[in-house]
Each structure stands twice: as C-alpha cells, then as structure tokens.
Amino acid sequence: MAAAALWRWVWLGLLSQPFLGLLWLLLLAAQPLLRGLAPMPSSRSALEVALDWTFPAGLLGATLALAILSRGEAFLSRLDAGTRFRGELGAVLGASLYLQLPILLGASVAGAAAGELALALPAILTSALHLAGLATLLLVPTLSTALRVSLLLTAAWFLPALGSADEPLARVSLLFDAAAAQRTGAQGGPGTLAPALALA
C-alpha cells in the first residue's frame, strides 16, 4: 500500500535521528526515576503527571513529521490525492503517538493502572488526530517548511492560549485547540472529537 510506504518513510526519518531516540528513553525513564527520587509522595497520580507531558510530546512529533513531509513536497505532489492524504495523515498521527508512547509506558511503570491508561487513550488519540489534521491541512498550500512549522505551533498552541481568557475567542479557537481533548477528558466527548475530524 502506497500510503503505508509514506508512513514508513516518515517514521524511519524520525528513528534515524539520535536525539529523538535519546528523548524517547528519557521520556520513558523520567516518571519512574523522579517518583523514586522524590522525598515525599506526590498527591498527583502517575497518570495526571503523564497527561501533562503527552500533548507537548505529541506536538513535537507532529511538527517533526510535518517538516519531513514538507521537505519531500516535490515527491508528494506526484502522488494521487487519496494516497497522499492517507499517507500524510497516518504519518503525522504515527509520529505524534511515537513520542507519547514512552510517557504512557513510564506512567505504567510508575504505578498508573492499566484501566486508567485505557480511559485516557480516547482523549490522547483525539488530540493526536487533531494535530494530524492541522499538519495535513498545512501541507495543502505551497509554503516553506519553516512557515508550515510556525503555523502549526501557532494554531495548536498559541492561538488557544490567547483565546482562553475570552469566551467568544475560546469558542473560535476550539477548532485549532488540539489539547482540548486531553484537558477535558471524557467530559469533552464529541465536542473535542468534532473539530479534529473536521480538520482531518
């Protein structure tokens, strides 16, 4: 399947970067290590701490995948629209989840129950889909890689933060707020899934 070949191309590009491998190991070990070194037990659960880090990690993965795809635009433009869409969306989604996985594994080692992690997965997947939709949308116009990356960071992180203090702006920024699913958890439900699907 041609779309799967695009996924492999992006994932191999990520796996070939030594600093990402080191970061993956650090994200895996951070929570168990910090909990073991803490002089007093924390009131926050391992899952709560993990959820604080999953969105930034997912955003980093999506940004790196966007940069790889953007640099290969000359090749991607030769593919048919359906293959390109499935390939780009799947590649960014996979890259986002790739950097979130060690955090969840570390939370499990630090004491998070499997049931708790399973309940958090829909919100994490919705957030990753939202990021993938934004990144894929930015691959449509002809833009430089630096501009695409800047626009992704602005749309996914800065605009929702700026709009959070104002009710009308917050409703508008929800379309770009990829972290909303993880902030609201199960309470967000369809309200956070709808913008992610709309962008994708």
Side-chain angles (χ1 to χ4, degrees):
M1 184 175 160
L6 282 181
W7 304 346
R8 287 195 300 272
W9 170 48
V10 172
W11 295 341
L12 287 173
L14 295 175
L15 291 171
S16 67
Q17 299 180 32
F19 92 91
L20 266 189
L22 180 60
L23 177 61
W24 203 95
L25 292 174
L26 287 173
L27 291 173
L28 175 65
Q31 241 191 116
L33 183 63
L34 291 176
R35 282 198 172 260
L37 294 175
M40 295 177 62
S42 171
S43 61
R44 303 185 72 213
S45 70
L47 181 60
E48 288 174 320
V49 175
L51 289 178
D52 287 344
W53 287 98
T54 50
F55 177 70
L59 180 58
L60 176 61
T63 302
L64 293 172
L66 175 62
I68 292 171
L69 289 166
S70 182
R71 288 195 294 267
E73 187 174 19
F75 164 70
L76 294 173
S77 64
R78 299 177 184 175
L79 302 175
D80 66 273
T83 300
R84 182 175 177 179
F85 167 72
R86 290 189 302 274
E88 290 172 348
L89 189 71
V92 178
L93 187 61
S96 183
L97 294 173
Y98 167 66
L99 285 180
Q100 292 176 325
L101 179 62
I103 298 171
L104 298 176
L105 291 174
S108 178
V109 173
E116 288 181 315
L117 291 171
L119 288 174
L121 275 180
I124 293 169
L125 290 171
T126 300
S127 179
L129 178 63
H130 207 142
L131 287 169
L134 278 170
T136 305
L137 190 62
L138 288 170
L139 286 165
V140 174
T142 303
L143 303 170
S144 68
T145 299
L147 183 55
R148 283 181 171 135
V149 166
S150 300
L151 288 173
L152 177 63
L153 294 174
T154 300
W157 204 332
F158 298 124
L159 283 182
L162 290 173
S164 62
D166 186 70
E167 180 87 25
L169 282 177
R171 283 198 296 270
V172 173
S173 67
L174 185 63
L175 180 62
F176 305 105
D177 191 358
Q182 290 184 232
R183 280 199 312 274
T184 58
Q187 293 82 15
T192 55
L193 181 60
L197 289 174
L199 285 168

